[in-house]
Amino acid sequence: MNQEPRPCSVGIGLGSHDLGVATFCAELFHRGMFPVIVFSGANSPTTRASFPRGEAVHYREEAMRLSVPPRAILVEARSTNTEQNLRFSRQLLADHGIEAGSVLLVSKPYQQRRAHATCRSVWPDVDVTCAAQRLPLSDYIAGIGDSTRVIDMLVGETQRILEYARRGHAIEQELPPAVLDAYANLVRAGYTSRLI
């Protein structure tokens, strides 16, 4: 989305297979972008083996390894999708008496648009900015270590941007024709393991 990180009331690290989300949250915390981080996420089929205690728990451990103090981290470990990430994080913040007028959503690079669209739908009164590590695609794939997984995730993400708006889980997003063509070509090529 090319949004520049800016100071917000809270950072929310959206759980996934990408530990880089926790790393970037720690970096943003140390840059003073927010005083508290919520790590949100249980498990999915793509994270059960690598994060057996849940995405949010592993993210918390990584952030603490990177010198984020435990008192600055809240863990929401029930959510299994982005809508739940946001709803449950919002409730967790309220339960802790934290007023979240603005949120910096931190996600995988290719999840930003859907995260933003979902947040605008389920938490319309919050001022939201999205951020992710800025990496060339080849470096991102090298960090994950599995190009097929990344392409499958990109294809699934594109489908969710379209489908979740139709289902009322996110606001509608306009996708350029080139993106829609690439999506169709990749589905035809068999990158379908993350389709709904």
Side-chain angles (χ1 to χ4, degrees):
M1 294 203 50
N2 296 317
Q3 295 182 334
E4 286 298 320
R6 60 183 181 79
C8 288
S9 307
V10 64
I12 298 178
L14 300 176
S16 72
H17 65 275
D18 183 355
L19 196 59
V21 173
T23 302
F24 195 47
C25 279
E27 178 186 324
L28 292 169
F29 174 85
H30 291 303
R31 287 170 44 191
M33 293 294 167
F34 37 74
V36 65
I37 304 168
V38 176
F39 287 124
S40 178
N43 273 119
S44 72
T46 59
T47 64
R48 214 163 268 121
S50 55
F51 300 143
R53 293 182 311 282
E55 298 154 3
V57 172
H58 286 269
Y59 278 20
R60 178 182 188 269
E61 292 168 355
E62 178 66 6
M64 288 171 40
R65 188 186 71 76
L66 296 169
S67 302
V68 175
R71 63 178 160 63
I73 303 171
L74 297 175
V75 171
E76 182 290 297
R78 297 180 301 137
S79 58
T80 58
N81 61 58
T82 305
E83 183 176 355
Q84 288 179 357
N85 288 137
L86 295 165
R87 289 189 189 281
F88 296 168
S89 293
R90 182 181 192 178
Q91 186 60 55
L92 180 64
L93 289 163
D95 291 347
H96 281 81
I98 297 171
E99 181 75 30
S102 58
V103 168
L104 186 53
L105 287 182
V106 182
S107 68
K108 301 169 289 195
Y110 53 86
Q111 187 185 9
Q112 291 177 81
R113 181 161 302 281
R114 182 169 60 86
H116 182 270
T118 304
C119 189
R120 298 302 323 136
S121 177
V122 303
W123 199 350
D125 55 327
V126 77
D127 184 11
V128 61
T129 302
C130 294
Q133 289 180 310
R134 291 190 178 192
L135 299 169
L137 181 59
S138 58
D139 291 352
Y140 184 80
I141 290 171
I144 298 299
D146 184 343
S147 61
T148 299
R149 172 190 253 188
V150 172
I151 296 169
D152 278 340
M153 297 294 278
L154 283 166
V155 170
E157 196 67 34
T158 304
Q159 181 196 38
R160 283 163 176 78
I161 289 170
L162 299 166
E163 187 59 31
Y164 286 0
R166 289 185 194 113
R167 296 180 185 190
H169 300 300
I171 64 169
E172 193 170 324
Q173 299 288 294
E174 186 173 331
L175 297 181
V179 170
L180 295 172
D181 289 345
Y183 164 72
N185 287 335
L186 289 167
V187 168
R188 280 193 294 275
Y191 292 97
T192 58
S193 75
R194 292 294 297 159
L195 293 179
I196 299 169

